[in-house]
Amino acid sequence: MKQIIYAVIILHSILINSGCNGNKTADKLMPELEQAEKVMFDHPDSSLHILESMEIPSSRTDKENHALWCLLTSQAKVKQLMKISSDSLVRIAYDYYKPTNNARRKAMSALYMGNINYNLGHIEEAMKYYLEGKSEVEKTEDYKTGYLIMSSLGKLYLYRNLTDYALESCTKAYDYAVRDSNLRYQMGALQYLARCYCISNKLPKAIESYQRCSAIAAELGLKNTDYYYDIQREIALVYTNSHKIEKSLSILQSFPIEYRPFSLIGKNYFHLGKLDSAFYYLNKALNTDNIYTKASIYEYLYRLSENPKYNQYLKTYCDSLLFYNDSIIAIDKGKQIIAYKEKYNNEKLITEKQKLELEKANITYWWMFTVVI
């Protein structure tokens, strides 16, 4: 009988020790991880190289370093716009930091959980993670992460016409960018603020925000770049929507030829009644692979062909307009089907995961019961 009691005590001690060893974490961060995080914002490619070259920390004996490795690797890939097929890697970090008091790491892991799910089309999941990140980052002075969370949330709201929420989030993103003294972040926040004002039909405020954005771009040496002329094009579009067509045209015609948006120039000429110029620029604008742009251009060309001078093109433009509109409808339906399918697969995975966890809990219960007996 005594031997049985001793055996139970020894087994119990082994279980406790193995449990403690499994939960062991490192007291100090690995130098490779510190270096990777140090260069992350300026050189995410170098950061990823460091992370992929180092020995991956053990998920059993060094959980803290392993969680940080997962977080930083996900961050580096997101920053380089690399395609990520699953949130499984960053989820390791998310699950590790969630029960801790480390608000900064919790905010970061929620941010990249949100980014990856957003890119996978899981919009509701992404919003949930962004809102978690928003709550956590407010407890810190990590203004970079604060900007990234609020700008991501602002874009999500903006593209779904949730204007008030978008404006609030983009304003907060700009505040974080100012606190961080980061001109590039300020420039990005101002661009999205301007778009919020456009949707709210506050066009003077939109133009003011765009002009401040342009001034920062010029200060950063971006004056003759794609980004700078994209901002100028958006300013011209605001003037077009404000019925200040000639002001819009004067901005667009000042662009170098390679940056001129022929579609918007042609539409402006159409509104001014200068049909020859409209016909010329709209046809030049058809040299694009974007079917949404083509559908918009053919709509204007169809309207233009109602004029007797261009009536010979009426049937051609009508057929083209119908073709591209049908293509857009088919694509939108396809996106809806994919979204429903992804939602179904996601719910199926959740159900299977819950079932496995329940089975695991039952096995653990009966195993412990057997040990006690």
Side-chain angles (χ1 to χ4, degrees):
M1 184 66 182
K2 287 183 179 180
Q3 290 177 339
I4 295 173
I5 294 171
Y6 290 150
V8 170
I9 292 171
I10 292 169
L11 178 60
H12 184 62
S13 301
I14 291 170
L15 290 172
I16 291 174
N17 288 332
S18 64
C20 291
N21 290 334
N23 292 326
K24 181 182 176 182
T25 59
D27 294 328
K28 187 177 180 182
L29 295 181
M30 297 173 69
E32 295 94 335
L33 295 179
E34 291 181 340
Q35 180 62 22
E37 187 167 25
K38 184 178 178 181
V39 301
M40 179 67 72
F41 278 91
D42 294 325
H43 305 287
D45 54 337
S46 300
S47 179
L48 184 60
H49 177 72
I50 294 169
L51 293 164
E52 291 182 337
S53 300
M54 67 181 284
E55 182 180 352
I56 301 174
S58 170
S59 61
R60 286 174 54 83
T61 60
D62 196 357
K63 292 187 176 182
E64 182 177 358
N65 279 312
H66 182 72
L68 184 56
W69 183 89
C70 293
L71 175 59
L72 295 179
T73 301
S74 301
Q75 182 181 14
K77 289 182 177 181
V78 169
K79 281 187 169 296
Q80 294 179 85
L81 305 179
M82 297 172 70
K83 187 173 181 180
I84 303 174
S85 59
S86 164
D87 65 7
S88 57
L89 185 64
V90 72
R91 185 177 289 279
I92 294 170
Y94 175 81
D95 290 340
Y96 175 81
Y97 289 117
K98 189 168 184 178
T100 71
N101 294 322
N102 194 333
R104 179 169 177 266
R105 297 296 188 205
K106 285 198 280 188
M108 288 176 65
S109 56
L111 165 65
Y112 294 107
M113 281 290 287
N115 285 347
I116 292 169
N117 276 280
Y118 185 87
N119 291 333
L120 291 172
H122 307 153
I123 307 303
E124 290 183 6
E125 286 289 301
M127 184 185 298
K128 183 191 79 170
Y129 291 122
Y130 287 146
L131 291 172
E132 282 184 23
K134 175 187 174 185
S135 298
E136 293 299 331
V137 84
E138 288 172 352
K139 304 171 187 175
T140 75
E141 294 184 358
D142 185 356
Y143 303 134
K144 280 185 171 62
T145 301
Y147 164 80
L148 293 170
I149 290 171
M150 297 312 298
S151 62
S152 297
L153 194 56
K155 291 173 193 176
L156 187 152
Y157 288 141
L158 183 62
Y159 295 147
R160 280 150 191 83
N161 289 325
L162 300 169
T163 314
D164 293 338
Y165 293 115
L167 185 58
E168 179 185 350
S169 298
C170 291
T171 302
K172 188 67 176 176
Y174 179 69
D175 180 54
Y176 276 124
V178 171
R179 289 190 189 185
D180 193 52
S181 301
N182 191 314
L183 290 177
R184 287 185 178 272
Y185 284 177
Q186 290 175 39
M187 185 171 62
L190 285 167
Q191 182 180 13
Y192 280 96
L193 266 175
R195 291 176 180 177
C196 291
Y197 288 131
C198 286
I199 294 176
S200 303
N201 205 30
K202 298 175 181 177
L203 301 184
K205 282 191 172 184
I207 291 173
E208 180 189 349
S209 297
Y210 276 129
Q211 288 173 341
R212 288 165 62 195
C213 180
S214 294
I216 294 175
E219 184 180 345
L220 292 172
L222 302 174
K223 191 161 186 180
N224 293 311
T225 62
D226 291 344
Y227 180 81
Y228 179 80
Y229 287 113
D230 281 344
I231 297 298
Q232 295 300 312
R233 179 184 56 79
E234 292 187 27
I235 293 173
L237 182 59
V238 175
Y239 280 119
T240 297
N241 292 334
S242 304
H243 307 293
K244 297 177 180 178
I245 309 299
E246 292 183 352
K247 176 67 175 176
S248 175
L249 264 176
S250 68
I251 293 173
L252 298 172
Q253 294 287 21
S254 68
F255 289 13
I257 292 175
E258 63 269 24
Y259 291 112
R260 289 182 186 176
F262 296 129
S263 174
L264 184 54
I265 292 173
K267 291 172 183 178
N268 280 339
Y269 276 125
F270 178 85
H271 290 302
L272 289 173
K274 298 180 179 180
L275 300 187
D276 288 344
S277 296
F279 180 80
Y280 171 77
Y281 280 105
L282 288 170
N283 275 284
K284 280 181 74 70
L286 287 172
N287 185 25
T288 177
D289 295 327
N290 190 315
I291 65 170
Y292 294 92
T293 302
K294 282 194 172 184
S296 174
I297 293 167
Y298 275 119
E299 182 181 350
Y300 272 84
L301 286 170
Y302 173 71
R303 291 164 62 187
L304 184 146
S305 63
E306 293 175 350
N307 184 282
K309 184 176 179 180
Y310 300 99
N311 196 251
Q312 59 182 310
Y313 304 108
L314 181 62
K315 185 179 183 306
T316 301
Y317 292 149
C318 180
D319 291 344
S320 297
L321 177 60
L322 290 172
F323 171 79
Y324 283 107
N325 279 339
D326 288 344
S327 299
I328 289 171
I329 291 170
I331 287 173
D332 289 345
K333 282 185 177 178
K335 286 180 180 177
Q336 288 180 348
I337 291 170
I338 291 170
Y340 286 129
K341 187 176 180 181
E342 285 184 346
K343 187 174 181 180
Y344 167 77
N345 289 337
N346 188 46
E347 289 177 351
K348 184 179 178 182
L349 285 171
I350 291 170
T351 303
E352 289 177 353
K353 184 179 177 182
Q354 290 173 342
K355 184 179 177 182
L356 286 171
E357 287 177 352
L358 184 61
E359 290 175 354
K360 183 179 177 182
N362 285 335
I363 290 169
T364 303
Y365 170 80
W366 285 110
W367 182 79
M368 292 300 295
F369 180 78
T370 302
V371 170
V372 171
I373 292 299

